[in-house]
């Protein structure tokens, strides 16, 4: 409580002159050149979303094409099949 009263006395002291610094401060703020934002910082969210969609699309396309891989002559090099296509295999009993 005593500290608050001491501060009030300081602020009410007539020795502190009233000064209007608004004009000087505004001139300094307006005179400072504005920094341009870099492209990446400005469009960070949009660029991240675009790259994510591009990766998801390419992954989806690769998953669809995964069932068979062809060489440049058009011959099937690798092909996946479901387990139903293989049929039952006999297990050897020991």
């Amino acid at each position: 409580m005593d500290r608050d009263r001491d501060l009030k006395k300081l602020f009410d002291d007539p020795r502190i002159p009233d000064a209007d610094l608004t004009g000087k401060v505004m001139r300094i703020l307006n005179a400072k050149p504005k920094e341009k934002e870099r492209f990446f910082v400005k469009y960070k969210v949009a660029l991240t979303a675009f790259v994510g969609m591009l990766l998801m699309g390419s992954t989806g396309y690769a998953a669809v094409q995964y069932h068979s891989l062809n060489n440049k002559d058009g011959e099937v090099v690798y092909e996946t099949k479901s387990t139903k296509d293989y049929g039952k295999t006999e297990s050897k009993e020991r």
Side-chain angles (χ1 to χ4, degrees):
M1 287 294 228
D2 293 336
R3 289 183 184 174
D4 293 337
R5 289 182 186 158
D6 291 339
L7 287 175
K8 284 184 181 180
K9 288 179 185 177
L10 285 175
F11 284 112
D12 291 335
D13 191 2
R15 292 181 293 174
I16 299 174
D18 290 329
D20 185 22
L21 301 175
T22 308
K24 289 181 180 180
V25 171
M26 291 307 291
R27 266 188 259 119
I28 292 171
L29 289 176
N30 290 332
K32 185 177 181 181
K34 295 181 180 179
E35 296 177 11
K36 293 183 179 179
E37 295 179 356
R38 286 200 254 159
F39 177 79
F40 182 72
V41 175
K42 191 173 183 180
Y43 298 106
K44 186 177 1 180
V45 174
L47 188 63
T48 304
F50 177 73
V51 168
M53 288 173 36
L54 186 66
L55 287 173
M56 286 186 344
S58 64
T59 303
Y61 178 76
V64 169
Q65 297 297 322
Y66 177 71
H67 67 291
S68 66
L69 296 175
N70 302 332
N71 61 10
K72 59 184 171 183
D73 295 331
E75 299 170 349
V76 175
V77 177
Y78 179 76
E79 186 173 11
T80 60
K81 295 181 180 180
S82 84
T83 54
K84 294 178 184 177
D85 294 339
Y86 286 114
K88 295 184 180 181
T89 59
E90 296 179 13
S91 62
K92 296 182 181 177
E93 294 181 20
R94 295 184 184 181

